[in-house]
Each structure stands twice: as C-alpha cells, then as structure tokens.
Amino acid sequence: MTPYSCSRRALLRGAALGGLAMGLPAWAKTISHGLAAKGSGTLSGTDIRLTVATSRFGVDGRSGHAVTVNGTLPAPLIRLREGDTVRLTVDNRLGEDTSIHWHGLLVPFEMDGVPGVSFPGIKARSTFTYEFPLRQSGTYWYHSHSGLQEQVGLYGPLIIDPAGADPIASDREHVIVLSDWTFLHPHHLFTRLKQEGGVFNRQKRTLANRFDGKADPMTAADRAMFARMRMDPTDIADVTAAAFTFLVNGHSPAENWTGLFRAGERVRLRIVNAAAQTIFNLRIPGLRLEVVATDGVPVRPVAVDELQIGNAETYDVIVTPEDRAYSLVAETIDRSGMAVATLAPRPGLRAAVPPLRERPTLGMRDMGMDHGAMPGMDHGDMDMRDESKVAFPVGVGVDMIAPMPADRIGDPGIGLDDVGHKVLTYRDLVALAPRADRRTPTRRVDIHLTGNMERFMWSMDGAKLSENPEPYRFARGERVRLRLINDTMMTHPMHLHGHFFELVNGHGDLQPLKHTVRVLPGGFVDLDLTADAPGDWAFHCHLLYHMHAGMMRVVTVRPLEGETA
C-alpha cells in the first residue's frame, strides 16, 4: 500500500473532517463546482480586510497549530480587477510581527511586504493598510514574509481579472493551491535540518540496492565521484513525506478535494505552488495539459502531459475532460509522496491513483559537469571547489563550485528526462506579445547560488543575508542580463520582487516573462531584466528554509522618485 492509498477508514475520516470544514474557504471545500459557478468565500472589491491570527488546522484526523487569514487555510481567494486601486487592511492579532507579500504583483516597493527590506513589518496587535494600483492581470498568490509563518498556513491565491476581455477562454475555473503541511514546529524542523544532513531522506542508497536486480542509473565513476565529494545522489529534497503531508486546497489525498465539471467543458486550472519546501511534478493521467499562462502572464498554448512547478510559480492550464473521473497528481520532486485530488463530472467519483514512480538519483550533470560539452575528459581529477572561478571569498558555507555549469533551460527537471511522455521545459514557453524593451543588455551580472548541503548552509555569492552583504545595484531603467549559476545539487526556485524578467530561451522578442524561475543543479539560467522599479527589493530562493538560512539578497534600483541620478 502506497503512502497515499486511500482506505475506506481514511475516506470516512477525511469526510468527517471535510464536514467540519471550519478551516477552509468555500472555494476550497471538499467538493467544488468551480469559481465560475460558485464564488462564495471570495474576497473582492477595492477595500478588503484581512485578519491574521492563530487557529487549529486538521488533517487526516490530527489537529495542529496554524497561522491563518480570516480563519481559513489556505487563506481566502482574493479576486481583483486590473485598473482598480485596492486597499488591503491587515489586522495582526498575533503576538508577533507579521507581513503579507503580494507575490508577482508590480507594486511600489513600500507596499511589497518584506520586513527589513521594503517596510518595517506589521507589529503584533496592530494594523497596516496596503494600497496600490493593479497594473496587471492573471493568477498570483500572497503569503507571509515573516519568519516561518508561511509553513503553518499564511498563504492564499489571488486572481486579477483583466480590464478587458480575458485572452484565455474557458467554461469553468478551479484554483489549485498545492502546499505542504507538517505537525512539527517549523523552527524545530529547521533545527533538525541543521543538526543532521539528510535527516528526512528515507530513500538513501544502501548496499541492498546493488543486488536488487534493478538497473543502476549511476556508473562506477559516478559513484566514486559522489563518494569523493561526500555527496548523496538521493539528496533531492530537504524535507520529504517523512515530515510532510501534501495538500491540494488544504486537503490531504485521503480527504480528496474534488473539482466538478461537465463533460466537454474547457476547464481552466489556476495552479499555485504555495508549498514551503516542495517542488512538485504535476500530471492528470488521461488528460493533456494545455499550458496557457505562467506566473500570471499568457503564453502561446503548448500541450504537455506533465510539468514541474517550483515553489511560488503559477501555471494556468486548460483541460477538456470526458464524462469520467481523473486524478490530479502532484508528485514531489524526490518521489517520496504526492498531493492528490480529483476532477469529476459528479460527486463521489474517483479515478485510480498511480503509484509513486521510481526514486530519481542525481548525476554528474547535476554536479556541474557537462559531459556533452567536453567528451572524453577525465572528470576524476576535476577541482570541484575551484575558487578561481568566482569573484567572492569561498568559505565553509560553499562546498562546491560547478566546474562546467550547463544551460539547462531545455531540461524538464530532475527525474523527468525519461518518463515516456511530453514534459514542459522552459524552452517551450513563448510569449504572446513581443517584449516591451528590445534593448540589448549592456552588461552581464553573474550570481552564484551557493551552499554547504551537509551543514544546511545556503547563500548567494557565498554570503548570507544576515552578513549584510552589498546589495545588487542597478541603475533605474538599466537593461541587464543576469546569469544565475547553481553551484549546489538542489533545484532553487529564485524569485525577484517587484519585477518580471525575461527567460533567455531562444525565442528572441518572444522571450517569456517570469517572476520566479527554477535553476537546476549544476546549471545556469540567463535572464534579461529591465530594472524599471525604483526601490529596494528582495531576491531569494523560494524554498522557505533556504531563504531562512540565508539564500537571500537585496536588489537596489536607483534613483527613487524625485531623486536625481
């Protein structure tokens, strides 16, 4: 029996919890007709109040401590309209500071909601009013940027309807919020990560794997290199199903959130990865996914069978189901568990849930050794921490510098190269409209994503935010190319506040816009940025515990309004 298999007892228990339903907004109730048919529980208008407080949250018969907005987890769906100016008043009833960041929204930096960077935070038992014009449309979300509150529930979806006609036609919509829940206190979880490398990894290779009759994906040379580096080829996710329950709209697989449809409808799924520490591989067996937008911005439709969604990314997909049930499967990147939900024409139907696929392992390419670039090279003597390749001091917090990082923008993600069907890559994404700024970048800025995985130390260019490193400085209006180089063996979803950047993926003037990008292990991603938003902005990995450990920096764009250059 797999960890997500659904016994009758679990179903009954889940149904009972769904019946209590005290902690879920209407759109996330166990059975949903979709936003087009049922809009209750949605906050809309131009003057909205949000109350942040502690609550209890129940999953699979257990109850844990949560921090919620208006008493629900996920937080209420906020639905706004492009062109309006919105006021969002946050009443903090916690005994500690809080904040809300409007992820992906182009707002004045003072309204961005990052304590210590763009505003002081919202003090305990006080209120703060955000006010800003809505300059865009699409699928977004919001979350706390204070401590580890996001892990315990302070996140929710946000949709901005276009001022004119929606370029994406559909008959029905469902919001799909993916997340991870733990009954461990998040600070205790962080301490365990610091105390013992791989503490939650239950899929490590053992001697028995050499004799189980299965093909070994690693060569003898690969095994020797990993041993020499003291790295674990199964170290793909820091926190796994050993500590997490994976949720769809606040529901575990046993509780089975179900989105209803009529056969033949074009159903729009607005998918948000609001997980603290989990990258998901999402598919719906039997249905093709027509990707029509990412990070709120429409793209040329592309049909795939699966996509990898990093933390804080969003995808809008269209599906056209027949008169039967389907399982929506969001398998974790390390394949230790999955979030599961159902799409069905009627309540009570459920499709078979596929088993977890074989655990993936890392390879030399994930170590920054591009065999294809230099065939025949002996990698055995390669220096895996060559300080001459970087312009920053290399201390104990940097255990690897990728010797030959590769452009991996055409890769589907760890473990997805040979799954036998089409998986989305960033190279598949093509913007609908030509880019607004066609200037050639005047300089390139290399930024290394660094860490010491064994000690759970994470940084950018070898420095943690707590060390108060020099900000990345850009002149207002400057056109610059950022090269993010991943010198670690984990995928990092990198998010720049206040801006969209263009993925340099070979599509010229139709390079797609993103606010969050996954940078694969041992690889690099090139991004073209127009620094047109003056202010101080956070730039960080959206794996919550990586950011908490220090993988975060400040981007400064000057001059401010009214200042001279």
Side-chain angles (χ1 to χ4, degrees), residues 26-48:
W27 60 272
K29 299 288 188 187
T30 309
I31 304 291
S32 174
H33 293 262
L35 300 179
K38 186 177 182 182
S40 60
T42 299
L43 302 178
S44 59
T46 57
D47 198 348
I48 290 171

Side-chain angles (χ1 to χ4, degrees), residues 425-458:
T425 74
Y426 282 152
R427 203 179 299 284
D428 296 321
L429 298 175
V430 183
L432 280 185
R435 54 184 172 169
D437 189 346
R438 301 191 184 189
R439 293 177 297 163
T440 301
T442 55
R443 62 178 174 130
R444 195 182 91 186
V445 176
D446 289 357
I447 298 174
H448 290 255
L449 315 179
T450 46
N452 182 320
M453 293 176 65
E454 185 68 18
R455 298 189 181 190
F456 204 74
M457 300 172 73
W458 301 100

Side-chain angles (χ1 to χ4, degrees), residues 30-33 256 258-261 325 342-350:
T30 309
I31 304 291
S32 174
H33 293 262
N256 188 32
T258 299
L260 300 179
F261 62 83
T342 296
L343 298 178
R346 293 172 294 281
L349 298 181
R350 191 165 194 185

